Amino acid sequence: MCDQTFVAATFGPCENCSTPSPLINIYIKSEPINYCSLCVEMMACQGLQKGESLVSLKRESESLKKKLEEERKKLCDVELNQVAEKIEVLGALSIKTRRVLKGHGNKVLCMDWCKDKRRLVSSSQDGKLIVWDAFTLNKEHGVSLPCTWIMTCAYAPSGCAVACGGLDNKCSVIPLSMDRNENLAAKKKSVAMHTNYVSGCTFTNSDMQLLTSSGDGTCALWDVESGQLLQSFHGHTADVLSLDLAPSETGNTFVSGGCDMKANVWDMRSGQNIQSFESHESDINCVKYYPSGDAFASASDDATCRFYDLRADREVAVYQKDSIVFGASTVDFSLSGRLLFAGYNDYTINVWDVLKGTRASILFGHENRVSRVRVSPDGTALCSASWDNTLRWATDFVTENK
Amino acid sequence: MTGHDIITWLIQKYCISEEEALHLGNLLVKYGYIYPLKEPRSLVLRRDESPYRFQTPYFWTSTQWPATELDYAIYLAKKNIRKQGELMEYEKERYSLLHKRINHTWDFVVMQAREQLRASKQRRKADRIVLECQEQAYWLINRPHSEQYQNHDPIMQGCLPSNPWISDDAAHWTMNADVVPVPTRLRVERWSFSFMELLSDTMGRKEFMTYLEKEFSAENLCFWQACEEIRHGENSRISEKVNEIYKNFLAPGAARWVNIDSKTMYKTLEGIKRPHRFVMDDAQMHIYFLMKKDSYPRYLKSDLYKNMLAKAIVPQETKKSVFPFMRRQRHSSPSPAQAATQATEEDGRCCHTVPLLEPIPSSSLSGK
């Protein structure tokens, strides 16, 4: 694994407003300027200047995009599946559902594992949030929230709290208390405020910061304690549907995917959009980093999942089959990154061999579309949440086949 | 021809110095164009009378003949059949690994091996020996490498003693809990994949700290940890934490002074005047890479790590019960919400909240 490339983020007083903050280095007609992210946004909102018109600007941006694509193509040398020919074929997988978690009264929209490898939190359309011990099938906490369609939930790294958000345009953090009599909904604390629904949320490396993505086209980083907005990320031109934090040494980047068919990589410190990938043909429903942090996968309504390499700056694999016509709504990698689990709207989960690009297995069992698929933190099991009101966890019965 | 001949010829033909000729010659040997006869496993060009031979063009690296596992398996099978027990230690290992992996084509492998042996018997002995040498030289260089982490992926390889989700036995989790007296072997191996893997494992980090204390550079890891706390902590406590770091690590004459280059130090000290979340980033990155490039590789070669690896347990696979449908009692575990409140009280006494100006005897840091 080679060293990660960095965005050279500079700090200092903004050349426009003089407040000291992380600066974005941009060029205007080849002149470098260093503005803070707020000033860059204000500049972008200024009216057209003399000699410019919407049409001319559009033409300019199209020609720049073409040039970028040409440059990218020049660096192409070999395809991923060619390199992967040397690697042996995967053995037969025998992944079967083992247990079904029943308890939600309506569509389960999202789930997340706890770091202790056996607990998980799930949220559903009827406004309920349940914390389960998936191993014993016990429900440990249940919270009823006033809003319906809790589209996203996340477990805090410490295991002491959960975050959730959805149509209420907010993302709230709920501390988990062991006291049975306590009404957890009352202790809910609103942290993030967006102007449209919250589609994804995740804690960063600690319980203190929350990263959210929203239907208002932005992502934002919040301080949990004060509810303060630390950084906002603008660049998507439509709803942002998903985000994932990079497992990198410096822990500064994350990727987001949205209805504008783009997947963007952001620097958390400066708010800058570092890389952008636009090869899907429809909304990107989910993005997930590869375990090494050098690549990520995306699932889209165009019935394909794609694999992008950050260092090569391009898409390196497409996982598709003629027989798959329904959109993919969720993806996750196995612990080593060799397998990609993708949940589709045709109620199945396809397991792809990441390197060879072929399908390794297919899982049936759900009776409605699969909304979320997540591998447990130690890679021993896979949990899937579905609109059929259940969660199922499955694992590979490797030992039984020996 | 001898090693000496090769070097002389290279010097004459290309008009280069002896050092360069030696280097070029070494590369030729390493890539298999020439192979040594006396010590075939030592791929070095010796500038003396040791004999070498040219490799046949069929086996040249430039033909880019894909060396598949199947071919390697056939070669090893041939060797095994020809002289039972002649395989080297690592060859035996690879043989059994291949046997497991491409088991489905094993008959084909053995059949091919036998066929090839029979065909070669029809050749003259001298030719046969030459061919064997060439093939051996080729495989020494080109044996297929597969560095994947498959062993570490429970969904693909299963996990020991058993996958808790299948056997209803949480032993796998107990053995791999955050703090255990003896860690499992896979876990310790994982620390060698990258520096990040080592630091993200609680036990790995502790072990590394112990190692650094022996090298008197533990303040680096403590500094890094303190900077992480600032980056991921509450907004309200940033100034307070930055102050602490300054007092403990950066101030002239500080108790645990970290060694940063003057440019970064100057920049950091200037930034501290108006503290913000990322003010320590440059210094933190400098120290991180110092540890990664210097201390981490030495740690992996150290006795401390090697002993840990040797001590590490490989759990026995639990025997499947006679009545497989009798379910075990699945025990619940304490919720992290409960366990965490206790742990934070203990962690409070960590290395970065250390009194000023007092020299810290390194012995008091290990083990809480």
Side-chain angles (χ1 to χ4, degrees):
Chain A
M1 290 186 235
C2 77
D3 287 341
Q4 202 194 15
T5 48
F6 301 99
V7 175
T10 51
F11 283 102
C14 166
E15 283 173 21
N16 195 32
C17 63
S18 314
T19 37
S21 67
L23 301 178
I24 301 183
N25 322 106
I26 52 179
Y27 288 82
I28 305 240
K29 293 200 187 351
S30 310
E31 292 250 335
I33 61 169
N34 297 317
Y35 280 10
C36 68
S37 56
L38 185 61
C39 292
V40 170
E41 279 169 41
M42 296 220 298
M43 199 169 59
C45 296
Q46 280 169 8
L48 297 168
Q49 296 194 337
K50 208 172 181 193
E52 288 176 351
S53 70
L54 270 180
V55 177
S56 71
L57 284 176
K58 240 191 178 142
R59 244 185 290 130
E60 198 184 333
S61 86
E62 288 300 316
S63 73
L64 282 172
K65 274 192 199 169
K66 270 209 199 84
K67 270 198 215 151
L68 271 174
E69 269 310 306
E70 278 165 25
E71 288 297 317
R72 267 186 183 166
K73 281 212 178 74
K74 282 187 199 161
L75 295 169
C76 229
D77 56 354
V78 72
E79 293 297 313
L80 179 61
N81 44 13
Q82 279 176 299
V83 178
E85 264 163 36
K86 288 204 184 154
I87 301 175
E88 85 283 1
V89 180
L90 280 176
L93 290 173
S94 167
I95 304 181
K96 295 197 192 88
T97 303
R98 200 74 209 300
R99 296 271 189 281
V100 181
L101 296 167
K102 292 192 182 146
H104 277 291
N106 214 320
K107 309 187 174 74
V108 185
L109 301 172
C110 187
M111 55 111 355
D112 190 24
W113 287 92
C114 174
K115 286 231 159 82
D116 77 346
K117 310 157 201 170
R118 48 191 286 173
R119 283 178 174 76
L120 52 91
V121 61
S122 59
S123 65
S124 79
Q125 190 202 346
D126 59 1
K128 281 219 172 50
L129 200 70
I130 302 183
V131 176
W132 316 72
D133 176 346
F135 190 59
T136 55
L137 301 182
N138 286 342
K139 297 187 194 52
E140 297 199 335
H141 301 94
V143 190
S144 271
L145 294 166
C147 93
T148 56
W149 285 90
I150 308 180
M151 299 170 79
T152 179
C153 59
Y155 223 118
S158 65
C160 300
V162 290
C164 59
L167 282 186
D168 55 356
N169 298 2
K170 290 191 287 202
C171 192
S172 323
V173 175
I174 304 172
L176 297 174
S177 138
M178 296 311 294
D179 185 352
R180 297 255 156 230
N181 295 332
E182 222 170 326
N183 181 7
L184 288 180
K187 300 195 88 193
K188 175 174 78 113
K189 179 180 174 181
S190 295
V191 171
M193 308 277 189
H194 278 281
T195 51
N196 209 330
Y197 64 89
V198 172
S199 54
C201 72
T202 178
F203 284 91
T204 61
N205 291 9
S206 77
D207 286 13
M208 307 298 163
Q209 289 177 293
L210 194 63
L211 193 58
T212 57
S213 65
S214 164
D216 63 12
T218 67
C219 301
L221 182 66
W222 310 84
D223 177 56
V224 172
E225 200 188 26
S226 59
Q228 191 189 355
L229 172 67
L230 297 174
Q231 185 64 256
S232 68
F233 307 91
H234 295 253
H236 277 288
T237 49
D239 303 14
V240 184
L241 295 179
S242 163
L243 54 73
D244 188 37
L245 212 53
S248 83
E249 298 177 296
T250 47
N252 283 334
T253 59
F254 72 95
V255 63
S256 66
C259 291
D260 55 356
M261 307 186 272
K262 283 204 270 207
N264 290 336
V265 181
W266 309 85
D267 177 330
M268 286 204 287
R269 289 177 302 178
S270 62
Q272 199 171 5
N273 179 358
I274 315 177
Q275 277 175 293
S276 183
F277 302 89
E278 194 171 356
S279 65
H280 268 292
E281 291 155 17
S282 185
D283 303 356
I284 297 181
N285 292 316
C286 184
V287 286
K288 195 77 177 58
Y289 267 98
Y290 189 67
S292 73
D294 298 321
F296 69 91
S298 59
S300 160
D301 274 346
D302 64 5
T304 66
C305 294
R306 291 174 202 240
F307 191 46
Y308 299 91
D309 185 323
L310 294 174
R311 289 171 297 180
D313 194 31
R314 57 182 281 258
E315 167 197 292
V316 290
V318 183
Y319 307 107
Q320 61 187 347
K321 242 176 147 60
D322 288 336
S323 52
I324 301 177
V325 295
F326 283 84
S329 56
T330 172
V331 275
D332 197 7
F333 284 99
S334 71
L335 192 63
S336 63
R338 182 68 194 269
L339 298 174
L340 181 70
F341 297 95
Y344 289 76
N345 294 342
D346 62 0
Y347 317 169
T348 64
I349 298 174
N350 286 302
V351 186
W352 299 92
D353 178 335
V354 171
L355 300 175
K356 298 217 186 241
T358 55
R359 182 169 66 183
S361 182
I362 182 167
L363 305 179
F364 298 98
H366 276 296
E367 290 152 18
N368 206 324
R369 59 164 84 172
V370 181
S371 53
R372 184 87 152 174
V373 152
R374 275 288 176 267
V375 174
S376 72
D378 62 351
T380 47
L382 173 76
C383 183
S384 55
S386 159
W387 282 18
D388 66 2
N389 306 2
T390 66
L391 292 114
R392 278 162 212 263
W393 51 257
T395 186
D396 189 17
F397 288 74
V398 166
T399 46
E400 294 200 359
N401 287 341
K402 278 204 190 135
Chain B
M1 63 207 160
T2 66
H4 185 84
D5 293 336
I6 298 176
I7 297 200
T8 326
W9 180 81
L10 279 172
I11 295 178
Q12 279 179 353
K13 169 100 185 181
Y14 293 107
C15 304
I16 50 180
S17 68
E18 186 176 322
E19 198 182 330
E20 202 176 337
L22 192 61
H23 178 75
L24 192 59
N26 258 315
L27 282 176
L28 283 172
V29 175
K30 274 211 165 59
Y31 280 95
Y33 291 94
I34 305 175
Y35 61 93
L37 289 174
K38 267 228 182 102
E39 274 168 58
R41 292 183 200 287
S42 160
L43 295 172
V44 176
L45 181 65
R46 267 186 258 277
R47 175 169 215 289
D48 52 21
E49 302 303 308
S50 33
Y52 288 86
R53 193 178 274 154
F54 283 112
Q55 177 66 285
T56 169
Y58 180 65
F59 280 136
W60 279 357
T61 315
S62 46
T63 55
Q64 289 193 336
W65 205 72
T68 63
E69 294 207 319
L70 200 60
D71 299 308
Y72 190 47
I74 295 175
Y75 165 68
L76 286 177
K78 264 201 298 185
K79 215 170 168 195
N80 205 12
I81 296 172
R82 205 169 49 213
K83 305 175 213 171
Q84 280 283 1
E86 253 276 309
L87 289 180
M88 300 222 66
E89 197 54 58
Y90 73 90
E91 282 179 338
K92 282 201 190 107
E93 256 178 68
R94 307 232 67 213
Y95 189 67
S96 50
L97 209 78
L98 282 169
H99 183 85
K100 245 196 293 180
R101 265 222 283 270
I102 54 176
N103 205 317
H104 45 282
T105 54
W106 204 251
D107 293 334
F108 175 72
V109 168
V110 173
M111 192 182 68
Q112 273 289 308
R114 288 218 176 95
E115 274 298 308
Q116 287 184 14
L117 277 175
R118 209 161 45 85
S120 69
K121 276 203 173 72
Q122 294 173 354
R123 294 215 182 87
R124 279 179 20 225
K125 185 153 188 210
D127 286 343
R128 210 185 326 148
I129 295 182
V130 167
L131 276 166
E132 274 167 26
C133 286
Q134 286 173 346
E135 210 183 3
Q136 183 187 41
Y138 173 73
W139 284 112
L140 269 174
I141 295 166
N142 288 299
R143 47 171 195 267
H145 298 289
S146 46
E147 271 170 35
Q148 286 179 61
Y149 302 115
Q150 211 160 326
N151 294 342
H152 292 258
D153 191 341
I155 276 187
M156 295 170 68
Q157 293 286 98
C159 61
L160 301 169
S162 62
N163 188 327
W165 303 99
I166 300 179
S167 63
D168 293 339
D169 175 22
H172 174 73
W173 288 326
T174 334
M175 281 187 197
N176 283 302
D178 263 358
V179 184
V180 279
V182 187
T184 57
R185 199 182 169 107
L186 279 181
R187 184 176 180 177
V188 183
E189 269 176 24
R190 221 173 139 165
W191 298 346
S192 66
F193 292 166
S194 77
F195 191 37
M196 191 171 71
E197 289 282 339
L198 176 67
L199 287 185
S200 39
D201 183 347
T202 332
M203 249 197 110
R205 205 191 276 204
K206 273 211 185 99
E207 283 294 305
F208 190 57
M209 181 70 91
T210 319
Y211 175 73
L212 288 180
E213 278 162 18
K214 290 209 172 89
E215 301 231 314
F216 302 106
S217 52
E219 67 272 2
N220 287 339
L221 189 57
C222 288
F223 176 69
W224 181 83
Q225 276 177 185
C227 292
E228 281 287 287
E229 298 247 326
I230 293 189
R231 277 188 6 163
H232 299 296
E234 310 97 311
N235 242 13
S236 49
R237 291 189 58 200
I238 290 182
S239 325
E240 171 197 332
K241 287 182 184 170
V242 168
N243 253 327
E244 282 273 326
I245 291 191
Y246 174 72
K247 281 190 237 164
N248 289 329
F249 299 98
L250 299 172
R256 327 198 64 210
W257 194 77
V258 281
N259 196 358
I260 326 177
D261 65 289
S262 50
K263 194 164 151 212
T264 314
M265 179 65 97
Y266 176 72
K267 208 169 154 203
T268 312
L269 292 178
E270 283 295 305
I272 288 183
K273 294 179 185 163
R274 269 178 288 179
H276 57 82
R277 189 175 289 269
F278 305 111
V279 72
M280 292 293 171
D281 265 14
D282 285 335
Q284 184 184 7
M285 231 188 286
H286 179 93
I287 294 291
Y288 180 82
F289 280 99
L290 191 67
M291 289 193 288
K292 178 177 171 179
K293 301 283 182 190
D294 185 37
S295 318
Y296 174 62
R298 280 187 288 121
Y299 168 66
L300 289 181
K301 298 195 192 123
S302 71
D303 288 331
L304 193 67
Y305 178 69
K306 292 200 176 128
N307 287 340
M308 186 56 99
L309 200 57
K311 264 195 321 182
I313 44 180
V314 180
Q316 288 279 37
E317 192 172 348
T318 48
K319 292 206 178 69
K320 294 188 213 13
S321 55
V322 179
F323 302 99
F325 38 81
M326 229 165 84
R327 273 200 215 131
R328 288 230 197 118
Q329 253 277 313
R330 270 172 273 132
H331 299 289
S332 56
S333 69
S335 165
Q338 221 171 21
T341 37
Q342 289 174 344
T344 41
E345 285 161 18
E346 283 176 28
D347 271 342
R349 290 179 271 115
C350 198
C351 52
H352 58 273
T353 56
V354 139
L356 321 162
L357 300 177
E358 233 171 66
I360 322 291
S362 50
S363 54
S364 74
L365 285 167
S366 45
K368 282 188 285 207

